[in-house]
Amino acid sequence: MTSTSVDRESPAPEPAGPADPEAAGPVGPEPAAPGAVAPGLSTPAPAVREPAVPGAPTPEPASREPVIRELGTLAHRLRLHHPPETPCTCGPPLLLADRPDGTVVRSGPVVAKAHAADIDRDALAARLALASAPALSGILLAPLTTPGTPDTAESDPRPVTFWPYGTPVDPRDPDAAPWAEAAVLLARLHRTVSPLPAPPMRGPVKAARAVARMIAALPGDAAVLPVQAAWHALPAWARGEAAPPAARSGFLCHGDLHLGQLVRHPAPDGPWLLIDVDDAGQGDPAWDLARPAAWYAAGVLAPEDWLLFLDAYRSAGGPAVPAGGDPWRQLDVPARALTVQTAAVVLAKCAAEGREPDEMEQLMIDSCARIATFPPELAAGSAS
């Protein structure tokens, strides 16, 4: 049995390190714009230096305390080194992340994640089995418990999985962001033949949900029009409305790559591993490169960081792009989709928080306005 259940609502990913997958992202020094540029995403704007990932633990709202406490108790029980007969001197549970797709709480070396109540439990079980497979050892962080179908004993329960704690990317040191290590892990993942049946990678579905969330948050608002236009210019497969091109759909993918999806395990100095398999599965490997590509094209990720990432992926034999030459034929459509997804989440968040987009968020929204001016057949051709 992989998991247990906890009742009630939603929130957040990564089993072992908080980060916002829709954040406008990690960035580095001033850009010099070398290399090919996405035809639909135009020339990169100047990069803005920001932390690689959010680092501080998420504040604990009073309404979430029961869930946090219950998750902390479940994680604490899994600490096999802690004899039950001895007085407990452990600290309180620490909330790592709390978002609509999962709540993540740490108790010492154990992390408990409550997944969304409406998650596909069979697909989750398949993804957990993949993370536990020996073929993925050294690439994906494995769960602490044996994969199986999550419990469903309670009314509308949230499945809970357990993971070893890993040290996340340090948000105070963006220059040390492990772009090359992330790229090598992705290349290894993409080259691995899935040892078990795998569900489809969920990237396009997540993008579609982000757009729906934006529209619901800002009905009739003109601010959503450039984002919608860029969205409708994408081919159907990138909007989650059709299967991806057959030649691009048979690779094992992570589905939600950003720097918050890497931890060192064993903590604090072990090798980097990919975490959070909620979106993993068979699909187009270019999707895993699309968020850094979109950030680079929007001017959020410095060119040197992008080229470090791309060169490391190619050197490791990654199949998402050719070994040399222009990578944007493969990257253009997924990068457009991730640009739209990020901008949609930004607008929904700003509406909920009653604020205007900040500088980096506006860069992603502006990118949608640019790519929406390119004809849909360019995007469709890039996917072929």
Side-chain angles (χ1 to χ4, degrees):
M1 186 67 69
T2 296
S3 55
T4 182
S5 313
V6 62
D7 218 358
R8 294 225 36 93
E9 248 216 271
S10 57
E14 1 354 310
D20 187 347
E22 312 305 344
V27 287
E30 299 300 322
V37 177
L41 294 174
S42 186
T43 304
V48 183
R49 180 178 291 278
E50 287 290 334
V53 292
T58 304
E60 302 178 12
S63 62
R64 307 299 295 156
E65 286 178 1
V67 172
I68 295 164
R69 198 162 46 243
E70 185 173 356
L71 286 174
T73 299
L74 292 171
H76 187 266
R77 288 176 187 166
L78 225 64
R79 297 175 64 175
L80 303 180
H81 68 285
H82 183 54
E85 66 278 1
T86 59
C88 181
T89 58
C90 301
L94 178 65
L95 180 64
L96 297 182
D98 193 11
R99 290 198 298 274
D101 55 348
T103 301
V104 185
V105 173
R106 175 189 177 189
S107 177
V110 177
V111 173
K113 176 176 180 177
H115 301 260
D118 63 351
I119 196 168
D120 183 327
R121 296 167 191 275
D122 291 337
L124 174 60
R127 292 178 171 113
L128 294 169
L130 277 175
S132 300
L136 279 305
S137 177
I139 301 174
L140 299 177
L141 183 72
L144 290 173
T145 43
T146 306
T149 303
D151 290 341
T152 57
E154 300 178 56
S155 173
D156 194 24
R158 298 174 61 193
V160 178
T161 54
F162 300 94
W163 306 82
Y165 176 75
T167 304
V169 174
D170 186 351
R172 298 162 299 183
D173 190 8
D175 290 334
W179 285 113
E181 292 87 342
V184 171
L185 286 169
L186 285 179
R188 292 176 59 197
L189 178 67
H190 297 163
R191 295 197 327 258
T192 301
V193 176
S194 182
L196 298 166
M201 181 266 293
R202 292 183 64 248
V205 172
K206 289 193 72 171
R209 287 186 176 184
V211 172
R213 175 184 169 191
M214 173 192 70
I215 293 170
L218 293 163
D221 196 308
V224 308
L225 295 179
V227 182
Q228 284 184 296
W231 178 246
H232 292 303
L234 293 169
W237 73 265
R239 300 195 304 267
E241 298 170 2
R248 304 286 299 172
S249 61
F251 297 87
L252 196 54
C253 304
H254 181 273
D256 189 29
L257 188 278
H258 54 89
L259 288 183
Q261 305 289 38
L262 286 98
V263 297
R264 288 188 178 275
H265 179 73
D269 299 317
W272 290 105
L273 296 172
L274 293 169
I275 62 171
D276 188 3
V277 294
D278 284 18
D279 303 307
Q282 300 278 1
D284 182 352
W287 203 276
D288 283 343
L289 280 63
R291 184 173 273 118
W295 285 342
Y296 160 65
V300 173
L301 181 66
E304 49 266 51
D305 290 333
W306 163 245
L307 292 176
L308 175 67
F309 175 80
L310 180 63
D311 290 346
Y313 181 84
R314 283 172 153 169
S315 297
V321 294
D326 184 1
W328 288 101
R329 179 174 175 80
Q330 289 74 30
L331 293 178
D332 183 53
V333 167
R336 288 168 178 256
L338 265 295
T339 301
V340 171
Q341 178 179 333
T342 303
V345 171
V346 161
L347 286 173
K349 285 184 176 181
C350 287
E353 297 168 6
R355 64 175 179 85
E356 296 297 316
D358 66 25
E359 183 179 4
M360 283 203 301
E361 291 169 338
Q362 191 62 49
L363 285 174
M364 302 307 295
I365 296 167
D366 292 345
S367 289
C368 288
R370 291 199 302 272
I371 64 179
T373 64
F374 284 78
E377 53 268 24
L378 177 60
S382 299
S384 62

